[in-house]
Amino acid sequence: MRDFFSPSLSSMFSSVIPDCDPTISPKLYHICMAPVSVSIYQVPRGRLSAPTLVTPSLACSPANFLEEEGNRGLVAAVFGILFSSLCVLVLDKDPLPLVAHSSQTACSLWSILRILALLYYPAFYYPLLACATVGHRISYLVGCLLSWCHCVVHIWQKVDCPQSPKIYRYYSMLSYIPIILCLVLLSLWYPALLIRSFTGQEETLSKEVMKIHRVTRGFQIPLKLILSITMAVIAVYQVALLLLVAVVPTIQIVRAGMTKDIVVLLVQFGLVPSESPAVPGDMEKELNTVKYYLWSLEVCYICSLVLCCLLTCAMLLRTLVMHRNNLKALYQGAVLDVFYKAHILRPSRQAIVCWMSFAAFQTAFACLGLLIQQVIFFICSVGFTFLVVIPLQSGTNTYLFKIIQNMWPFWLTLVVAVIVQNLAAHYLFLEHHSLRKELTNRRALYIVTYLLFPTNVLVGVLAGVWRMVISGLYNAVHFCQLDISLLNRGVETFDPGYHAYCHYLKIEVSQSHPVMKAFCLMLLQLARPGGPLGLRASNVEEGETFPLPTGGMHGHRRGAASGRARWWLAYTLLNNPSLIACRKTALSDPTANGTQLSTCKP
Amino acid sequence: MRDFFSPSLSSMFSSVIPDCDPTISPKLYHICMAPVSVSIYQVPRGRLSAPTLVTPSLACSPANFLEEEGNRGLVAAVFGILFSSLCVLVLDKDPLPLVAHSSQTACSLWSILRILALLYYPAFYYPLLACATVGHRISYLVGCLLSWCHCVVHIWQKVDCPQSPKIYRYYSMLSYIPIILCLVLLSLWYPALLIRSFTGQEETLSKEVMKIHRVTRGFQIPLKLILSITMAVIAVYQVALLLLVAVVPTIQIVRAGMTKDIVVLLVQFGLVPSESPAVPGDMEKELNTVKYYLWSLEVCYICSLVLCCLLTCAMLLRTLVMHRNNLKALYQGAVLDVFYKAHILRPSRQAIVCWMSFAAFQTAFACLGLLIQQVIFFICSVGFTFLVVIPLQSGTNTYLFKIIQNMWPFWLTLVVAVIVQNLAAHYLFLEHHSLRKELTNRRALYIVTYLLFPTNVLVGVLAGVWRMVISGLYNAVHFCQLDISLLNRGVETFDPGYHAYCHYLKIEVSQSHPVMKAFCLMLLQLARPGGPLGLRASNVEEGETFPLPTGGMHGHRRGAASGRARWWLAYTLLNNPSLIACRKTALSDPTANGTQLSTCKP
């Protein structure tokens, strides 16, 4: 497109951005930081882990970052850095900064580097995650230093070189904003953790164990869902940014470089209305019209992009609400309220695979959903602008109005036919009794059906068009929602998104049932005779009832405790019928008790 | 396009069809036949109806054509004529043959004529339907004469003028084939009815009444559904014919008129590969390539059209199967097997309107579904041919293969990642007990989840594309099926097609429950003391049990009959629980018995 414009303009837009090398080049940064990361890998197991008194399985481990009771914001921030790095990586010419890129690099080698980068980045940022989950002062300190280091380098690089020639001069900087924000969050979170570990709250081991199994009131959104929603929001930002900077500056360049010669061409093709004959010298009005059209195009594009982003975010919020309802229903055993067919809620190979990839799927679907919505809404808004708004403003190009005007008898007939049928159905063919309605005047009904058959075929064509439009729009708007199947209810699990969600739910429900959590807590209390008295295990989940006595169990005689435990069991099963299914199996299996314990292990 | 070709070729294709006036012009035909139709309207009520002994409501009426027990084939044929006339009418320049068309006719007047035609044709063909339902010799004779007359005129017109300049020379003739076939069916059906009324089976009035309430074994597809499927098949024929003749002859013309000058242009645009420089004199090979491409395009078009037609017909057959299952389930009261939410199956305004327009909707949806499928399948088949088949044959244009070749590390990574996750889930993260599986190795699971997150995002993008493709394809293929909603189960009734089907089902089930039919039959037997003894009311519907004694009820004492009736009632309600809901209402309503009678009135 740029060939159309004058050389000065073309050069103004393409060569104004000089090549810029930041003081700390990405290669230097990675060469310095990668060994640091690798060295930290070796430390936690030996030196950083807390001195353990409880069983090894209960000790804090750097790999526990996906447990429910962790530093949720911190984990989400690290995943956010990871995803933003992936976005940068897909479009970057240097996928792996450790290896210098040269123009001679073969295409296949380049894509191998890109794939290595897919594994390199998670490993590179892993220490940021591990330092928080180890739960010790030294690890917090290391985390502080690491996050500050990463943060300073990234900000420095972007201050050094705010512009880059890639896509749009500020694209590189804007696409790094989520990474920098996440790093800033980490740089504040780690000092806070460190300070809290020094002042006031000298956490003893027992308290730490209790914190793992911290019991909080109200509904807890699973960490995996928080991750997936955060990633989806970042994905929406990255895709919207890319869509914006790839198109809007181009339209602006075209508008600025529009000349009268091009306008003459457009007028001759009939794309722009003109009253005067096409003479290049006298095209001022037409030039303004073309510029106005291009401006309208830009407005349409930006408006539809804003609409898409808002819609996608609204749908992501809706996912949270639906997920809460689904989890509550499943905890209470109402499987058929959530799934169309009965499911057994237990881990399986597929369920684990789907659980692992759930957040990634949610992210990818948000990206694709935004793209699809943008295409659809942009076409619709352009159609609306150029067929309705501009003709109404200028009085030209009134094709649509002419068509509608010529077809008024057709529309009138259809409306009259529908109204007549509704009125006839209500007053003529329906006999209203006190309690029920009955069909009457059958002969007239048959005759009306026959006479209006051709008209109804035309009504049917409109209904069919509406069917097409509504199903397309519905699927486009709900594309980012994994908890909704885009297919009919009989075949809904063939939808890969919904399939992943269903299996993800199975793992979530089977591994985080609030009653099971409370049971684990009780067992832990029993295991430690010096545990705190007067602890009250509150209700973890709305709608669940699991009363525990105000005093710990260790003070009671064995017989009284046994009777009370039986009563609790009956009461619990009454309120949580979904547990009954698991019970017999668990009891018949000799290793079941151990299993139950292992499932609530950190 | 035709301007590109030599004048001789252009003239060969456009002006070879002379204007043709058939001996019996459409105007003459309609001027003669319309008064005949109108005169027949006056007759049936007075002269043609059978001498009545039973109550007037039981008399045969010309308007009973949509009763279940009619001449189903005949009714379908008349609706077929009507729909084909509508197809002809939409594209014809003379919508209403009674009014002569002139070039001065205003556009809006013309569309008013078109709308008048929508009501004129049903009225014009109504006698063909009415003569059969009156059920008398004279009416059969009139029907014979009418159908012969229509049939002969139509065949004569098409023999006189087999070609017309509209769209394609034989289009007019081919589009009239369904009308002519339906008229031939009528011309054979009426004589058969007439002969049967004379020979052997001298039908007495009582027998006629019994025939109305004829009881047949096995499942009876409702007449309305037969109509809708027949119309849909005719619609598929008409749309496929239009799609075929609008495109294929044009491609053939373009192929025949392809010259070396155009080939040079195509080579310069890079659309056709060429080894030699673009010189018009030496383009023999490239010309053949272009012709081969055009031929491939034609083959793709025809293949996808055939596939669409087969798929649409298969889906229409599937509709029949699903409808049978739905009806059986609803008769047995299993509402939730059919609908996602509980529905009350009784007539309502909406239900009557949907029942009236059901066949028309099915027809319109079949048309639109075929169009959508053709667009999708044509694009897919062209893509497959030009990106896979032709490059494999010729070795040129191998863009797709090059892309796939360059991206092999990417595909390999994704496949390996998915396999690794599945294997790890099965062997590493899942503990197999005797009765249940349990999650284990949680730390490794978390680390794998974190490390594979960027890879899983890419897997998710592929899954998202698959979600888009499968939902689009599913909706396109099932577009013609009204018994399937294209929306998610929570909002499925927003789909206008499924909404119409649900309401249609309500009327069908509430008005044609087999037990109610058997009950009506019993009442009719009781009303006529001279009725045939030994009649055995068989089971109308599979899965229903409604035993009647071998002897009629009139021979029994009142007490015994009452006891037996109670036993029947209990037995019937036991086997048909869906009737229980209606029972109390019916009993509490004083007019309920009359209503029940009126609902099974012919």
Side-chain angles (χ1 to χ4, degrees):
Chain A
M1 205 63 191
R2 284 180 191 172
D3 298 346
F4 276 101
F5 311 112
S6 56
S8 64
L9 196 82
S10 179
S11 64
M12 188 181 96
F13 281 101
S14 62
S15 65
V16 101
I17 303 158
D19 277 346
C20 172
D21 290 315
T23 322
I24 305 165
S25 74
K27 191 176 173 180
L28 181 68
Y29 163 57
H30 281 268
I31 283 173
C32 293
M33 291 302 285
V36 175
S37 295
V38 172
S39 68
I40 289 171
Y41 270 100
Q42 310 302 323
V43 183
R45 289 243 158 212
R47 294 271 287 282
L48 290 182
S49 62
T52 178
L53 279 177
V54 292
T55 49
S57 66
L58 288 175
C60 291
S61 153
N64 281 340
F65 52 86
L66 282 182
E67 284 297 328
E68 289 303 313
E69 330 289 346
N71 294 301
R72 288 154 165 255
L74 192 139
V75 177
V78 176
F79 270 86
I81 295 170
L82 203 60
F83 175 68
S84 296
S85 304
L86 176 73
C87 291
V88 172
L89 155 83
V90 169
L91 293 167
D92 215 352
K93 69 180 198 302
D94 279 327
L96 202 58
L98 289 172
V99 182
H101 177 262
S102 69
S103 54
Q104 283 86 32
T105 317
C107 194
S108 60
L109 178 66
W110 192 55
S111 54
I112 290 173
L113 283 185
R114 207 170 274 258
I115 281 150
L116 282 180
L118 282 182
L119 294 171
Y120 167 73
Y121 277 103
F124 182 67
Y125 289 115
Y126 178 67
L128 284 178
L129 202 58
C131 287
T133 31
V134 169
H136 194 267
R137 271 173 213 164
I138 305 168
S139 74
Y140 292 154
L141 186 67
V142 173
C144 272
L145 296 175
L146 265 182
S147 55
W148 288 344
C149 205
H150 281 292
C151 190
V152 165
V153 170
H154 271 103
I155 292 175
W156 196 343
Q157 279 179 351
K158 290 301 141 194
V159 169
D160 256 11
C161 294
Q163 298 188 13
S164 79
K166 196 174 68 177
I167 302 174
Y168 171 65
R169 51 172 67 195
Y170 295 115
Y171 171 67
S172 174
M173 195 182 70
L174 290 171
S175 72
Y176 265 95
I177 283 183
I179 296 186
I180 292 171
L181 283 182
C182 290
L183 283 172
V184 167
L185 183 72
L186 288 182
S187 317
L188 299 175
W189 198 290
Y190 270 113
L193 281 179
L194 190 63
I195 291 166
R196 211 171 62 182
S197 74
F198 276 107
T199 60
Q201 305 171 9
E202 276 287 330
E203 290 179 305
T204 60
L205 174 71
S206 63
K207 272 194 185 162
E208 263 183 41
V209 171
M210 286 320 295
K211 201 189 100 204
I212 294 167
H213 296 279
R214 193 173 44 198
V215 179
T216 35
R217 276 193 180 276
F219 179 75
Q220 287 265 35
I221 294 170
L223 173 61
K224 193 83 185 176
L225 197 71
I226 290 184
L227 274 188
S228 66
I229 300 292
T230 316
M231 292 312 104
V233 170
I234 295 177
V236 167
Y237 172 80
Q238 296 280 9
V239 174
L241 177 69
L242 193 63
L243 285 174
L244 195 74
V245 301
V247 171
V248 172
T250 313
I251 298 181
Q252 284 173 345
I253 291 170
V254 171
R255 203 169 78 219
M258 187 55 68
T259 61
K260 289 185 182 174
D261 299 326
I262 305 168
V263 174
V264 171
L265 264 180
L266 291 175
V267 169
Q268 281 170 348
F269 276 116
L271 292 173
V272 179
S274 168
E275 289 157 17
S276 55
V279 180
D282 191 28
M283 281 281 155
E284 200 55 47
K285 196 181 155 200
E286 282 74 16
L287 182 63
N288 287 333
T289 311
V290 171
K291 285 191 176 176
Y292 177 65
Y293 283 4
L294 284 171
W295 177 81
S296 309
L297 217 60
E298 198 184 320
V299 170
C300 285
Y301 192 83
I302 293 171
C303 286
S304 59
L305 193 57
V306 169
L307 180 64
C308 292
C309 291
L310 291 179
L311 257 180
T312 305
C313 290
M315 290 300 137
L316 290 175
L317 282 183
R318 207 170 150 242
T319 291
L320 284 182
V321 175
M322 286 197 57
H323 188 76
R324 180 175 184 269
N325 295 342
N326 288 344
L327 270 189
K328 277 176 71 178
L330 288 180
Y331 284 153
Q332 289 168 7
V335 176
L336 287 179
D337 282 7
V338 179
F339 304 116
Y340 178 58
K341 284 171 187 164
H343 279 261
I344 301 169
L345 301 175
R346 60 172 62 159
S348 66
R349 181 184 56 75
Q350 270 198 318
I352 292 175
V353 172
C354 289
W355 187 86
M356 282 198 272
S357 51
F358 178 71
F361 271 42
Q362 175 70 72
T363 317
F365 281 37
C367 291
L368 273 180
L370 192 70
L371 268 179
I372 297 168
Q373 281 178 35
Q374 172 65 6
V375 169
I376 292 176
F377 290 154
F378 180 57
I379 292 172
C380 291
S381 63
V382 166
F384 181 72
T385 309
F386 283 85
L387 290 176
V388 178
V389 178
I390 289 182
L392 276 180
Q393 275 185 341
S394 66
T396 52
N397 279 329
T398 52
Y399 306 121
L400 188 73
F401 296 117
K402 277 181 194 158
I403 290 173
I404 291 175
Q405 203 179 354
N406 284 332
M407 284 179 82
W408 68 263
F410 174 73
W411 302 115
L412 188 69
T413 311
L414 296 196
V415 170
V416 167
V418 171
I419 291 174
V420 162
Q421 285 183 73
N422 272 285
L423 288 179
H426 192 255
Y427 293 106
L428 198 61
F429 305 139
L430 211 56
E431 209 175 334
H432 299 263
H433 292 289
S434 55
L435 281 168
R436 59 185 297 171
K437 293 166 179 175
E438 203 42 79
L439 205 63
T440 183
N441 285 326
R442 289 168 170 247
R443 288 170 197 171
L445 173 66
Y446 296 154
I447 290 177
V448 170
T449 305
Y450 172 78
L451 288 180
L452 289 181
F453 173 72
T455 317
N456 276 333
V457 171
L458 300 179
V459 176
V461 170
L462 287 191
V465 171
W466 175 237
R467 185 184 214 202
M468 198 163 64
V469 168
I470 201 176
S471 66
L473 269 186
Y474 182 88
N475 286 0
V477 169
H478 292 83
F479 193 87
C480 61
Q481 270 193 282
L482 274 80
D483 48 330
I484 282 178
S485 174
L486 300 188
L487 297 181
N488 180 262
R489 69 179 130 102
V491 289
E492 58 186 16
T493 48
F494 285 97
D495 179 340
Y498 186 70
H499 176 257
Y501 179 74
C502 286
H503 282 293
Y504 160 73
L505 261 190
K506 284 185 193 176
I507 292 276
E508 280 296 331
V509 172
S510 68
Q511 301 302 309
S512 71
H513 198 293
V515 177
M516 190 191 69
K517 280 184 180 174
F519 179 70
C520 294
L521 175 66
M522 227 172 75
L523 283 179
L524 284 170
Q525 275 182 277
L526 289 176
R528 292 177 306 102
L533 280 176
L535 174 103
R536 186 185 179 88
S538 317
N539 190 353
V540 211
E541 178 62 37
E542 296 171 27
E544 305 293 326
T545 314
F546 188 74
L548 281 180
T550 45
M553 270 183 74
H554 57 91
H556 295 271
R557 275 187 297 114
R558 198 178 176 79
S562 155
R564 200 173 281 253
R566 276 187 199 158
W567 182 81
W568 285 343
L569 179 69
Y571 192 82
T572 307
L573 289 178
L574 205 67
N575 279 294
N576 302 281
S578 65
L579 294 177
I580 297 173
C582 304
R583 218 186 132 240
K584 272 202 171 169
T585 326
L587 287 179
S588 68
D589 186 2
T591 62
N593 276 323
T595 314
Q596 281 289 8
L597 245 176
S598 73
T599 58
C600 50
K601 242 170 23 187
Chain B
M1 207 61 194
R2 283 181 192 171
D3 298 346
F4 276 100
F5 310 112
S6 55
S8 64
L9 197 80
S10 180
S11 66
M12 188 181 94
F13 281 101
S14 63
S15 66
V16 101
I17 302 158
D19 277 346
C20 172
D21 289 316
T23 321
I24 305 166
S25 74
K27 192 177 174 183
L28 181 68
Y29 162 57
H30 280 269
I31 285 176
C32 294
M33 292 302 286
V36 174
S37 295
V38 172
S39 66
I40 290 170
Y41 270 100
Q42 312 300 326
V43 183
R45 291 243 155 208
R47 294 269 291 278
L48 288 183
S49 62
T52 177
L53 280 176
V54 291
T55 51
S57 66
L58 289 174
C60 292
S61 154
N64 282 337
F65 51 86
L66 283 181
E67 285 296 329
E68 290 301 312
E69 332 289 346
N71 294 300
R72 289 156 161 253
L74 192 139
V75 177
V78 175
F79 270 86
I81 295 170
L82 204 59
F83 176 68
S84 296
S85 303
L86 176 72
C87 291
V88 171
L89 156 82
V90 169
L91 293 167
D92 215 352
K93 69 178 198 301
D94 278 328
L96 202 58
L98 289 172
V99 181
H101 178 262
S102 70
S103 52
Q104 282 86 32
T105 316
C107 195
S108 59
L109 178 66
W110 191 55
S111 54
I112 290 173
L113 282 185
R114 207 169 274 257
I115 282 150
L116 282 180
L118 282 182
L119 295 171
Y120 167 73
Y121 278 104
F124 182 67
Y125 289 116
Y126 178 67
L128 284 178
L129 202 57
C131 286
T133 29
V134 169
H136 195 267
R137 268 173 215 163
I138 304 168
S139 74
Y140 291 154
L141 187 66
V142 174
C144 271
L145 296 175
L146 265 180
S147 57
W148 288 345
C149 205
H150 281 293
C151 190
V152 165
V153 170
H154 272 103
I155 292 176
W156 195 343
Q157 280 179 349
K158 290 301 142 194
V159 168
D160 255 10
C161 294
Q163 300 186 13
S164 80
K166 195 174 70 177
I167 302 173
Y168 171 64
R169 51 171 69 193
Y170 294 114
Y171 170 67
S172 174
M173 195 181 72
L174 290 171
S175 73
Y176 265 95
I177 283 182
I179 296 186
I180 291 171
L181 282 181
C182 289
L183 282 173
V184 167
L185 182 72
L186 289 182
S187 316
L188 298 175
W189 199 290
Y190 269 113
L193 281 180
L194 191 64
I195 291 166
R196 211 171 60 180
S197 74
F198 275 108
T199 58
Q201 305 170 9
E202 277 288 330
E203 290 180 303
T204 60
L205 174 70
S206 62
K207 272 192 183 164
E208 264 182 41
V209 171
M210 288 317 297
K211 201 191 101 202
I212 293 167
H213 296 278
R214 191 171 46 197
V215 179
T216 35
R217 277 193 178 279
F219 179 74
Q220 286 265 36
I221 295 170
L223 173 61
K224 194 82 183 176
L225 197 71
I226 291 184
L227 273 188
S228 67
I229 300 292
T230 316
M231 290 313 103
V233 170
I234 295 177
V236 167
Y237 172 80
Q238 295 280 8
V239 174
L241 177 69
L242 194 63
L243 284 173
L244 195 74
V245 301
V247 172
V248 172
T250 312
I251 299 182
Q252 284 173 343
I253 290 170
V254 171
R255 202 170 78 220
M258 189 55 68
T259 61
K260 289 184 180 173
D261 297 327
I262 305 169
V263 174
V264 170
L265 265 180
L266 292 175
V267 169
Q268 280 168 350
F269 276 116
L271 293 174
V272 179
S274 169
E275 290 158 14
S276 56
V279 181
D282 191 32
M283 281 280 156
E284 199 56 45
K285 196 180 156 200
E286 283 75 15
L287 181 63
N288 286 334
T289 311
V290 172
K291 286 192 175 177
Y292 177 65
Y293 284 4
L294 284 172
W295 178 80
S296 309
L297 218 60
E298 197 184 320
V299 170
C300 284
Y301 191 83
I302 293 172
C303 287
S304 59
L305 193 57
V306 169
L307 180 64
C308 292
C309 292
L310 289 178
L311 258 180
T312 306
C313 290
M315 290 301 136
L316 290 175
L317 282 181
R318 209 172 146 238
T319 291
L320 284 181
V321 176
M322 286 196 57
H323 189 76
R324 179 174 184 270
N325 295 342
N326 287 346
L327 270 189
K328 277 176 70 177
L330 289 179
Y331 284 154
Q332 288 168 7
V335 176
L336 287 177
D337 282 7
V338 179
F339 303 116
Y340 178 58
K341 286 170 186 164
H343 279 261
I344 300 168
L345 302 174
R346 61 172 64 159
S348 66
R349 181 183 56 75
Q350 270 198 317
I352 293 174
V353 172
C354 289
W355 187 86
M356 282 198 273
S357 51
F358 178 72
F361 271 42
Q362 175 70 73
T363 316
F365 282 37
C367 292
L368 272 179
L370 193 71
L371 268 177
I372 297 168
Q373 282 178 34
Q374 171 65 6
V375 170
I376 293 176
F377 291 153
F378 180 58
I379 291 172
C380 291
S381 62
V382 167
F384 182 73
T385 308
F386 283 85
L387 291 175
V388 178
V389 178
I390 289 181
L392 276 181
Q393 274 184 343
S394 65
T396 53
N397 281 328
T398 52
Y399 307 120
L400 188 72
F401 296 117
K402 275 180 193 157
I403 291 173
I404 290 175
Q405 204 180 351
N406 283 334
M407 284 181 82
W408 69 262
F410 174 74
W411 302 117
L412 187 69
T413 312
L414 296 197
V415 170
V416 167
V418 171
I419 291 174
V420 162
Q421 286 183 73
N422 272 286
L423 288 179
H426 192 255
Y427 292 108
L428 198 60
F429 305 138
L430 211 55
E431 209 175 334
H432 298 263
H433 292 289
S434 55
L435 282 170
R436 57 186 298 172
K437 294 167 179 173
E438 203 43 78
L439 205 62
T440 183
N441 286 324
R442 288 168 171 248
R443 289 170 196 170
L445 173 66
Y446 296 155
I447 290 178
V448 170
T449 304
Y450 172 77
L451 288 180
L452 289 181
F453 172 72
T455 318
N456 275 334
V457 171
L458 300 180
V459 175
V461 170
L462 286 192
V465 171
W466 174 236
R467 185 183 215 205
M468 199 163 64
V469 168
I470 202 176
S471 67
L473 268 187
Y474 182 88
N475 285 2
V477 168
H478 292 83
F479 194 87
C480 62
Q481 271 193 282
L482 275 80
D483 48 330
I484 282 179
S485 174
L486 300 188
L487 297 180
N488 180 262
R489 68 181 132 100
V491 289
E492 58 186 15
T493 47
F494 285 96
D495 180 341
Y498 186 69
H499 176 256
Y501 179 74
C502 287
H503 282 293
Y504 161 72
L505 261 190
K506 284 185 193 176
I507 293 275
E508 279 296 332
V509 171
S510 68
Q511 300 302 311
S512 70
H513 199 293
V515 176
M516 191 192 69
K517 279 186 181 175
F519 178 70
C520 293
L521 176 66
M522 226 171 76
L523 284 179
L524 284 170
Q525 274 181 279
L526 289 176
R528 290 178 307 102
L533 280 175
L535 175 100
R536 188 185 178 86
S538 319
N539 190 355
V540 211
E541 180 60 38
E542 297 170 25
E544 306 292 327
T545 314
F546 187 75
L548 282 180
T550 44
M553 271 182 74
H554 57 90
H556 294 272
R557 278 186 296 115
R558 198 175 175 82
S562 156
R564 199 173 280 252
R566 278 186 197 160
W567 182 83
W568 285 343
L569 180 70
Y571 191 82
T572 306
L573 289 178
L574 205 68
N575 280 294
N576 300 280
S578 65
L579 294 177
I580 297 172
C582 304
R583 218 186 132 239
K584 272 200 173 172
T585 327
L587 287 179
S588 68
D589 185 3
T591 61
N593 277 321
T595 314
Q596 282 286 7
L597 246 175
S598 74
T599 58
C600 50
K601 238 164 34 182

